[in-house]
Amino acid sequence: MGSISLNGINKSFGSTEVLKDINLDIKDGEFLILIGPSGCGKSTLMNLIAGLEDLTGGEIIIDDKDVSEESPKDRDIAMVFQSYALYPTMNVARNICFGLEMSKMPKNEQEVILKKVSSLLQIDHLLDRKPGQLSGGQRQRVAMGRALARSPKVFLFDEPLSNLDAKLRVEMRTEIKKLHQRIGTTIVYVTHDQIEAMTLADRIAVLKDGELQQVGTPYEIYNDPVSHFVADFMGSPGMNFIECIVKDEKLIIESGGEKYELEIPCKDAINNSKLDVVLLGIRPEMLTEIQPSVEKNSYIHQIKFDVDVLEPMGADTVAIGQWNESEVMARLSPESGNAAGKGFDLQVDTSKAILFDPNSGLRIR
Amino acid sequence: MNKFNLLNINFGRAAIYFILFLFAFIYLAPLYVMFTTSLKDIEEIRSGNLMALPIDPTLYAWKKAWASACTGSECKGLAPYFWNSVRIVFPAVIISTILGAFNGYALAKWKFKGSEFLFGALLFGCFIPFQVILLPMAKLLGALGLANTVTGLVLVHVIYGIAFTTLFFRNYYVGIPTELVKAAKLDGASFLKIFRHIFIPLSTPIFVVTIIWQFTQIWNDFLFGVVYSGSGTQPITVALNNLVNTSVGGKEYNVDMAAAIIAALPTLIVYIIAGKYFVRGLTAGAVKG
């Protein structure tokens, strides 16, 4: 068991409010990702859950028990730190068993757990080494082993992969996901990397300036963001935002001497908002070369696009150019990417387009 | 071009070494004179050259300085005072180092309201001159009934040393990542267990630095020694002073020199054994960041 309820969490350092009224229920066995730009309070929230910092207001409930006032060791939580925080003078085995040693578990029981954990993480051969003799990936494993050994109710991961090189990061990401599937313990995971968030999470909680913006599955966060901020933060390359004039339930865009009328699915939203100008949000993958195979419908538009910069990514090529005085990114196939230039014929699919209020940044529904 | 550069470098090197050797020679010359003089007999000192090697080396001066030279009215050499110093230095070094380690650990990793102020106040202790506290400390020792005792001197040195030892340990521990403390807290370790299992094993360099520092300071102290000791509890520095200033008959320079070396020997030995740690420890914080 390991469900967590955060009720009305507030945290201030002096007069600076770092977290403002955070309410979040994390289910037992869930993999929850806290994401946000640096300084948004995500690590502070994690420290509060761990009990390493004191709450200014609100309560933290783990398994129906209010732990707000309890010390870290009584909360039955294990944490993996960004810097791994392995004890430098102890070998790997003692690092893993230190928590058990502190809880006065008999040596032979410690041995059993050590064997289990080290074979699970494939670090059997490293047990006698000191942390200084390990590579980044190995340290990462040992840090996870130390957390696993105590079999806590909840794991906290504080940006655990950000010190690894790109390739290793992808490997360890997969491994953390496998690990979660195998042990099924609740995980709260802090990151600022939206790819990590998308790939790992059952649910993602997006934080900004100490406030919870949106909580939802990766699909919801990506396709149904509540605000300009969430839409912008998630996705790589990020969502395109284009200012459009509203006319007769359609969006008018003038660019390069041409005038386009875009048909969009959320007509009610336009009517309800009573705005003359809206922000059109559209993902780069909806801007492609002409796809003959796609059946023509009213949401498929064809525009002229002046490509300024090409960024080949291998599997596809991102074309960056100006459209309606906004910088717009399109995701092309590598082949058409090679041919892209001035006046490229671009297909714009608005079937998944969403609208934002240009003033408040909130979604228009 | 290449050859010219090479020549230049070699010339530069040579100049540097020349200057280094010159200064080392100037710096070591007094020690050389002390040592050679201590091995000469008094006749040779009077007639011979100051820099000359002893013609007929003798340990007479050393024996006398250690066992029978007069320090004031007593004529037992430096030996009893050497052991006084040992009895003062060991407890004072150990106690002040341990207290400094605890203070430094708490001030670096367990910040509380006012801890920065407390550290600032402690630092202030580093800048208080010995002379300022002479009278109040004498009153305090009198009130505690510790005047003229070895225990009293130990107390004085511990109190005076805490400011320095705390500073050393606090600055060293600030460089150790706080995440280690967090991890250990989550692992269920207490204040003392974190100190014992995680911080102490990391502290060898700073222990060495602090011990050398405290040992040298306390062994070489003269002022506290001369003010707070009784006739039987004088440290070796005071005894050395008395020995040199007591003249029965002519001045025995060879005995004075031997006595001075004996008095300085323990700190010399400590530096030779642990000196490399001293340098390493002082710079450890700067490199690690």
Side-chain angles (χ1 to χ4, degrees):
Chain A
M1 283 294 285
S3 64
I4 307 172
S5 292
L6 307 176
N7 298 332
I9 301 287
N10 279 298
K11 175 68 187 173
S12 307
F13 291 112
S15 58
T16 7
E17 268 196 303
V18 186
L19 291 170
K20 297 162 202 159
D21 194 30
I22 305 284
N23 289 289
L24 183 59
D25 284 314
I26 303 162
K27 292 188 277 290
D28 178 37
E30 191 169 29
F31 199 134
L32 182 102
I33 298 247
L34 286 171
I35 192 169
S38 34
C40 70
K42 53 193 192 301
S43 289
T44 307
L45 184 56
M46 175 146 290
N47 282 338
L48 288 173
I49 297 174
L52 295 169
E53 303 208 23
D54 294 326
L55 290 167
T56 307
E59 53 177 16
I60 297 169
I61 292 167
I62 298 177
D63 278 350
D64 305 321
K65 189 176 154 215
D66 187 349
V67 297
S68 313
E69 301 290 322
E70 285 193 11
S71 67
K73 67 181 163 64
D74 299 322
R75 297 190 184 196
D76 204 0
I77 277 175
M79 189 158 169
V80 177
F81 293 87
Q82 181 176 359
S83 63
Y84 316 132
L86 299 176
Y87 310 127
T89 54
M90 302 179 195
N91 65 16
V92 168
R94 181 128 191 263
N95 257 288
I96 291 173
C97 291
F98 188 67
L100 308 175
E101 191 186 315
M102 288 297 111
S103 64
K104 300 203 168 65
M105 179 185 277
K107 269 267 179 252
N108 50 346
E109 286 175 46
Q110 288 184 25
E111 289 291 325
V112 175
I113 292 175
L114 178 63
K115 272 222 174 73
K116 211 170 84 187
V117 168
S118 58
S119 66
L120 181 70
L121 293 167
Q122 295 152 26
I123 47 176
D124 310 76
H125 57 295
L126 304 173
L127 294 180
D128 292 328
R129 294 208 203 157
K130 293 273 172 68
Q133 300 164 304
L134 303 177
S135 69
Q138 289 169 333
R139 286 182 207 182
Q140 177 66 61
R141 280 168 205 271
V142 176
M144 292 205 294
R146 189 172 64 183
L148 278 171
R150 300 208 336 263
S151 49
K153 284 179 188 160
V154 178
F155 287 114
L156 304 177
F157 284 83
D158 190 2
E159 308 205 16
L161 304 182
S162 51
N163 283 352
L164 300 176
D165 64 66
K167 196 171 181 321
L168 202 54
R169 186 153 48 204
V170 176
E171 271 175 46
M172 290 307 291
R173 199 169 72 200
T174 317
E175 249 178 77
I176 291 176
K177 188 153 196 175
K178 276 187 196 157
L179 190 70
H180 179 244
Q181 285 166 354
R182 209 171 324 163
I183 59 174
T185 309
T186 313
I187 293 180
V188 181
Y189 185 113
V190 163
T191 179
H192 59 257
D193 177 356
Q194 45 89 24
I195 296 179
E196 256 171 54
M198 294 294 291
T199 49
L200 288 172
D202 290 327
R203 278 195 308 158
I204 298 173
V206 185
L207 271 169
K208 183 200 173 196
D209 299 335
E211 283 176 286
L212 215 45
Q213 303 288 309
Q214 186 175 4
V215 183
T217 62
Y219 184 88
E220 285 165 1
I221 297 279
Y222 191 79
N223 293 297
D224 196 11
V226 295
S227 65
H228 173 268
F229 172 79
V230 176
D232 192 28
F233 195 73
M234 303 300 290
S236 169
M239 189 180 251
N240 298 306
F241 300 99
I242 306 157
E243 256 189 11
C244 309
I245 297 161
V246 181
K247 193 182 164 198
D248 302 334
E249 299 187 333
K250 285 185 181 167
L251 303 181
I252 311 297
I253 290 173
E254 283 180 62
S255 182
E258 306 253 357
K259 186 174 176 184
Y260 303 102
E261 284 190 6
L262 300 184
E263 188 93 22
I264 48 161
C266 35
K267 291 199 177 64
D268 291 345
I270 299 182
N271 292 330
N272 294 340
S273 73
K274 301 190 175 65
L275 290 169
D276 297 329
V277 178
V278 294
L279 211 52
L280 167 70
I282 187 162
R283 293 276 176 203
E285 56 267 30
M286 307 309 278
L287 310 179
T288 56
E289 65 277 1
I290 307 296
Q291 311 264 345
S293 60
V294 173
E295 213 176 301
K296 292 279 169 280
N297 62 49
S298 58
Y299 297 130
I300 304 282
H301 309 80
Q302 190 177 332
I303 66 166
K304 288 272 183 230
F305 184 55
D306 293 336
V307 176
D308 296 331
V309 178
L310 284 170
E311 290 181 348
M313 318 256 275
D316 42 29
T317 295
V318 176
I320 303 165
Q322 294 286 322
W323 194 48
N324 194 34
E325 290 164 16
S326 308
E327 195 173 76
V328 166
M329 285 186 270
R331 203 177 263 253
L332 312 178
S333 73
E335 291 73 23
S336 36
N338 288 337
K342 287 258 177 289
F344 181 72
D345 283 322
L346 198 66
Q347 172 177 312
V348 178
D349 180 351
T350 54
S351 61
K352 282 186 169 179
I354 49 179
L355 302 178
F356 299 95
D357 182 331
N359 303 314
S360 68
L362 291 179
R363 177 85 177 274
I364 308 170
R365 289 178 193 275
Chain B
M1 186 71 190
N2 248 343
K3 208 168 185 183
F4 180 72
N5 266 345
L6 206 68
L7 208 72
N8 236 350
I9 289 166
N10 280 343
F11 178 73
R13 285 269 132 185
I16 288 170
Y17 278 118
F18 174 74
I19 292 168
L20 284 177
F21 274 112
L22 182 71
F23 278 99
F25 177 75
I26 294 171
Y27 201 75
L28 288 174
L31 186 66
Y32 167 81
V33 171
M34 279 173 79
F35 192 67
T36 49
T37 307
S38 75
L39 295 175
K40 296 172 183 174
D41 64 27
I42 203 76
E43 271 314 306
E44 198 184 335
I45 295 171
R46 276 200 202 107
S47 59
N49 184 334
L50 188 68
M51 300 302 283
L53 282 166
I55 305 160
D56 183 19
T58 163
L59 285 176
Y60 157 81
W62 286 77
K63 282 179 194 147
K64 183 165 183 193
W66 177 252
S68 62
C70 293
T71 54
S73 54
E74 304 257 336
C75 289
K76 295 180 193 155
L78 286 180
Y81 306 101
F82 183 92
W83 297 119
N84 276 349
S85 270
V86 169
R87 288 213 304 277
I88 294 165
V89 166
F90 275 81
V93 168
I94 292 168
I95 294 169
S96 62
T97 303
I98 289 173
L99 288 176
F102 268 111
N103 283 348
Y105 167 61
L107 289 171
K109 293 299 168 199
W110 297 75
K111 297 246 162 77
F112 49 90
K113 219 177 162 72
S115 61
E116 287 299 308
F117 173 78
L118 194 68
F119 178 58
L122 259 172
L123 268 192
F124 196 63
C126 298
F127 301 107
I128 296 178
F130 278 23
Q131 291 81 350
V132 173
I133 63 166
L134 282 182
L135 278 176
M137 185 53 91
K139 282 215 125 187
L140 178 71
L141 289 178
L144 292 172
L146 292 174
N148 300 341
T149 63
V150 165
T151 320
L153 269 172
V154 170
L155 180 71
V156 173
H157 285 299
V158 167
I159 292 174
Y160 205 84
I162 282 178
F164 290 95
T165 56
T166 302
L167 173 70
F168 289 156
F169 277 98
R170 187 264 184 190
N171 285 357
Y172 183 78
Y173 287 150
V174 158
I176 293 177
T178 306
E179 288 195 334
L180 285 179
V181 179
K182 291 186 180 180
K185 271 197 215 170
L186 282 166
D187 268 341
S190 59
F191 176 87
L192 285 179
K193 281 195 171 143
I194 295 174
F195 186 53
R196 195 178 120 208
H197 293 291
I198 294 161
F199 280 75
I200 294 273
L202 282 170
S203 305
T204 316
I206 199 65
F207 267 112
V208 172
V209 168
T210 311
I211 288 170
I212 292 180
W213 176 268
Q214 283 298 90
F215 189 94
T216 318
Q217 290 290 313
I218 299 172
W219 186 274
N220 289 345
D221 163 68
F222 178 75
L223 189 61
F224 287 156
V226 80
V227 174
Y228 299 131
S229 63
S231 56
T233 56
Q234 283 164 344
I236 193 163
T237 44
V238 178
L240 176 64
N241 175 64
N242 294 345
L243 183 146
V244 174
N245 287 332
T246 308
S247 43
V248 185
K251 208 153 190 34
E252 290 191 290
Y253 290 107
N254 50 354
V255 178
D256 291 355
M257 296 299 175
I261 296 176
I262 290 171
L265 212 52
T267 48
L268 271 177
I269 290 169
V270 167
Y271 267 101
I272 290 165
I273 293 174
K276 64 177 179 190
Y277 289 100
F278 190 69
V279 176
R280 212 185 288 163
L282 280 182
T283 55
V287 181
K288 213 174 133 243

